[in-house]
Amino acid sequence: MAFVKESIKHVMKHFLLILFLTTFSLQLAAQGYPLAKEKPFNSGEEIELKATVGFIKAAEAQLKVSDIIYTMKGRPTFKIDVFANTSGIFDFFSPVRDNWGTYFDTTRFVPHQFYRYISEGRFRKNEILYFDQSDKRVTVAKLEKESRQLKEKIEHDMTTDEMQDMVSGYYYLRMIDFDKIKVGEIITINTFFDDKEKPFSIKFMGREVVKTKLGKVNALILVPIMKKDGLFEEDNTLKVWLSDDYNKIPLKFQAKIFVGYLEVDVKSVKNLRHPLSIVQ
């Protein structure tokens, strides 16, 4: 029983992590990579994903862009939420109800605020990050586990005025023109997470056609560079497929783990800004 619960804990940890491992965002622009001519998403966009281990349904996630444009620090922002929860036997042993979110500047493409409300079994963690990009500072507000009342604030310096969080980075990634990135290129950037800047590296592996519930879709192949741990059988066994079009929605994630293969697949999409690159 303990092994099952521990396996579920690790599977969910990596399911949630791989949703955001493609956050190499603004450093691309700094290196001279141009943005696509068209914006990749609209207000009101929704993407649903499902995770399975073998034939067992493990979890679901929803990525939602609010249909309202918010104002943050006098700037227009998208409010973007990611919800994740366990299902089936995974939900019975160790229920997860997580919510990450960001207020993402509609023209500067940086976050002004990030929040996460974590409920994983008995574990709780709630916090809000306030970004001051111009002063290169971020204030982390730690909240009480149950009431979400303010407990303490901690200020940190940042090394860049274009810092991303774990949600905003992916949405900026979608703006990149991948025709200008060489196959095999590794890009490393910083996001702010867990009270510090964390470097993430990802390798662009090329293109292929991926079969999904939406049809056969032209896809970009990305491999996040990860350290070996107690769950993955070998280094760099995680692959990510994004649609090879202006949308760049997540199509599929796959990771080889000790308890089998963890797969995350797109389930449905709503209000995409551009036609999906479906192969006839």
Side-chain angles (χ1 to χ4, degrees):
M1 183 70 69
F3 173 77
V4 172
K5 293 184 71 173
E6 191 65 20
S7 296
I8 291 171
K9 177 181 177 182
H10 282 296
V11 167
M12 282 307 301
K13 171 187 174 183
H14 286 85
F15 165 57
L16 301 174
L17 179 62
I18 64 180
L19 292 177
F20 310 114
L21 277 176
T22 53
T23 56
F24 55 83
S25 64
L26 282 160
Q27 291 295 329
L28 286 172
Q31 295 179 23
Y33 293 93
L35 303 182
K37 296 179 181 179
E38 299 286 340
K39 286 187 177 181
F41 58 89
N42 280 320
S43 297
E45 180 192 81
E46 296 185 14
I47 302 171
E48 292 191 28
L49 306 168
K50 69 172 183 178
T52 56
V53 177
F55 296 103
I56 302 174
K57 187 176 179 180
E60 295 179 327
Q62 297 83 39
L63 289 72
K64 298 183 177 182
V65 182
S66 174
D67 56 7
I68 299 172
I69 298 296
Y70 288 77
T71 300
M72 185 71 62
K73 297 183 178 179
R75 303 281 304 176
T77 65
F78 294 109
K79 182 178 183 291
I80 305 172
D81 280 284
V82 177
F83 301 94
N85 61 272
T86 45
S87 56
I89 189 172
F90 286 77
D91 198 48
F92 177 78
F93 282 107
S94 186
V96 169
R97 300 290 184 273
D98 289 354
N99 174 209
W100 299 268
T102 188
Y103 289 89
F104 187 51
D105 196 294
T106 61
T107 57
R108 289 191 60 202
F109 311 129
V110 292
H112 294 296
Q113 185 174 310
F114 168 79
Y115 51 89
R116 58 172 173 161
Y117 305 120
I118 306 300
S119 175
E120 300 173 359
R122 295 182 179 180
F123 177 76
R124 301 288 186 276
K125 185 170 186 177
N126 304 307
E127 65 181 12
I128 302 174
L129 277 61
Y130 300 94
F131 289 91
D132 188 334
Q133 302 282 358
S134 59
D135 286 344
K136 298 183 182 180
R137 296 186 67 81
V138 58
T139 300
V140 180
K142 305 287 186 179
L143 309 181
E144 294 289 347
K145 293 182 179 181
E146 300 299 335
S147 67
R148 296 185 183 178
Q149 296 297 310
L150 178 64
K151 184 169 59 176
E152 63 175 330
K153 287 186 176 180
I154 305 173
E155 291 192 354
H156 302 272
D157 293 324
M158 302 188 305
T159 59
T160 176
D161 60 357
E162 296 180 332
M163 184 66 66
Q164 295 290 334
D165 60 52
M166 294 296 282
V167 174
S168 69
Y170 164 64
Y171 282 83
Y172 189 90
L173 164 66
R174 295 172 62 180
M175 301 178 186
I176 301 300
D177 184 354
F178 268 80
D179 289 336
K180 307 301 181 181
I181 302 175
K182 296 178 181 179
V183 174
E185 186 169 356
I186 297 176
I187 302 167
T188 302
I189 61 96
N190 283 325
T191 58
F192 197 92
F193 188 67
D194 278 345
D195 296 298
K196 60 184 177 182
E197 293 182 27
K198 289 194 173 183
F200 286 96
S201 296
I202 193 163
K203 187 174 185 179
F204 175 48
M205 301 297 292
R207 294 172 166 85
E208 67 181 12
V209 176
V210 174
K211 186 177 181 180
T212 75
K213 283 194 172 183
L214 307 179
K216 293 182 179 179
V217 184
N218 289 317
L220 305 167
I221 311 168
L222 305 174
V223 175
I225 309 301
M226 301 177 64
K227 293 182 179 180
K228 186 175 181 180
D229 64 14
L231 182 67
F232 287 104
E233 289 196 343
E234 56 188 70
D235 293 332
N236 308 327
T237 57
L238 173 62
K239 286 186 178 181
V240 179
W241 289 263
L242 304 181
S243 62
D244 187 13
D245 52 28
Y246 284 129
N247 298 298
K248 295 184 181 64
I249 65 168
L251 299 172
K252 185 181 182 68
F253 305 83
Q254 186 180 73
K256 189 176 182 181
I257 58 179
F258 282 149
V259 293
Y261 276 94
L262 171 63
E263 292 193 3
V264 181
D265 297 281
V266 62
K267 182 179 178 181
S268 66
V269 296
K270 294 181 181 178
N271 303 322
L272 293 185
R273 185 181 179 93
H274 305 280
L276 198 61
S277 58
I278 295 178
V279 178
Q280 300 297 330

